[in-house]
Amino acid sequence: MYTTLLTSLENSIFTITINRPDKLNALNKDVFADLNKALDEVYSHPDIRSVIITGSGPKAFVAGADISEFSGLTVEASKALAKAGQDTFFRIENAPKPIVACVNGFALGGGCELAMSCHFRIAADNAKFGQPEVNLGLIPGYGGTQRLVQLIGKGRAMELLMSAGMLDAATALQYGLVNYVVPQEELLTKARTILDLINTKAPIAVGKCIEAANAVFDETKNGYEVEVAAFGHCFGTEDMKEGTTAFLEKRKAVFTGK
């Protein structure tokens, strides 16, 4: 089904592995096409409750965009390329199911942007993050200038964007770019442990947490109004009735996503 991805579904966790190890999993048009097909599955498949995105091999999550595809692009074509990449990453950011990046090495350029579009990030101890586009006479085009500021603050983001510097895993943790740093062999286990816990919660409520938290950074929305609407929506669900009843009856709730 996919030419550039490996996928698996186990215990309601859908794992997407970008599989171009000879190119350090660089993003090209085929990867984006496959990612969008995989996201179609994420959005529509009821058995998928949460998602891991990672890269194949021990060296790279995604080491950047495939620069060979930039050759000969016009100004308008380059804008369309950036817009298409942003649209894919918006689908990740706004997915109603948790998507976690497991960063198993270099996350540079488009790879850093992909990781930042996920709901949170876990890094292997060999991970490196950076936006080195100024080395090519470019800037990030897939949302990196925006999400890096949101995640680590303007001053630190400005320095990284303009210097093309890299953050090691420990510094990324200190800056709040990642939630955890673990040995590489424990990376997927850590993510699955967290997602197994999240998957026991009410799916609709989890999705509404994502929607409301994302509204903080959307200037077209009032986040408090989004929260009120989402709170009210949850009140109309069977899961809310089950959750409150289970709490009062001192038993574990069984959520169905209805």
Side-chain angles (χ1 to χ4, degrees):
M1 184 175 180
Y2 302 107
T3 60
T4 67
L5 306 180
L6 302 173
T7 63
S8 64
L9 178 60
E10 185 177 352
N11 295 330
S12 300
I13 300 172
F14 188 55
T15 301
I16 300 170
T17 304
I18 299 172
N19 188 38
R20 300 184 73 212
D22 56 321
K23 301 291 186 183
L24 295 180
N25 304 319
L27 301 174
N28 64 7
K29 63 179 184 297
D30 294 331
V31 176
F32 274 110
D34 280 349
L35 273 175
N36 277 298
K37 284 192 289 185
L39 289 168
D40 288 342
E41 283 198 76
V42 171
Y43 273 73
S44 64
H45 200 313
D47 291 339
I48 295 173
R49 296 280 295 272
S50 54
V51 182
I52 292 169
I53 297 179
T54 193
S56 63
K59 294 182 179 179
F61 172 72
V62 169
D66 194 329
I67 306 303
S68 65
E69 291 191 344
F70 290 5
S71 178
L73 284 181
T74 65
V75 169
E76 290 307 312
S78 68
K79 288 181 180 178
L81 179 76
K83 178 65 164 57
Q86 286 188 7
D87 287 347
T88 299
F89 291 174
F90 280 135
R91 293 188 72 198
I92 294 172
E93 184 173 64
N94 295 309
K97 301 169 185 179
I99 301 181
V100 177
C102 283
V103 182
N104 55 308
F106 290 111
L108 305 177
C112 188
E113 292 172 296
L114 171 60
M116 291 191 296
S117 72
C118 295
H119 297 129
F120 58 92
R121 287 144 294 286
I122 303 170
D125 50 15
N126 70 325
K128 294 280 198 309
F129 297 85
Q131 299 289 165
E133 287 85 353
V134 291
N135 288 334
L136 303 174
L138 293 169
I139 72 167
Y142 301 151
T145 62
Q146 307 303 295
R147 292 191 180 98
L148 194 63
V149 171
Q150 292 168 4
L151 288 165
I152 70 171
K154 184 178 178 181
R156 285 170 169 164
M158 283 283 199
E159 180 183 353
L160 283 170
L161 291 167
M162 293 188 289
S163 70
M166 282 197 292
L167 300 179
D168 61 20
T171 307
L173 180 64
Q174 177 192 342
Y175 284 8
L177 184 58
V178 303
N179 288 29
Y180 303 94
V181 175
V182 298
Q184 190 170 59
E185 61 271 17
E186 298 175 16
L187 185 62
L188 293 178
T189 300
K190 180 65 174 178
R192 290 179 182 130
T193 298
I194 296 169
L195 292 176
D196 282 339
L197 175 61
I198 292 173
N199 287 349
T200 66
K201 312 307 178 186
I204 294 171
V206 168
K208 291 300 181 183
C209 285
I210 294 169
E211 180 185 348
N214 281 343
V216 173
F217 302 107
D218 188 338
E219 292 183 356
T220 69
K221 297 177 180 176
N222 181 314
Y224 293 98
E225 292 177 357
V226 173
E227 181 180 276
V228 165
F231 184 79
H233 180 92
C234 289
F235 255 79
T237 65
E238 293 299 318
D239 278 350
M240 181 270 179
K241 296 173 186 173
E242 164 64 10
T244 53
T245 300
F247 178 82
L248 294 171
E249 294 177 353
K250 296 182 172 56
R251 61 174 174 82
K252 187 175 180 179
V254 179
F255 296 113
T256 60
K258 298 177 182 177

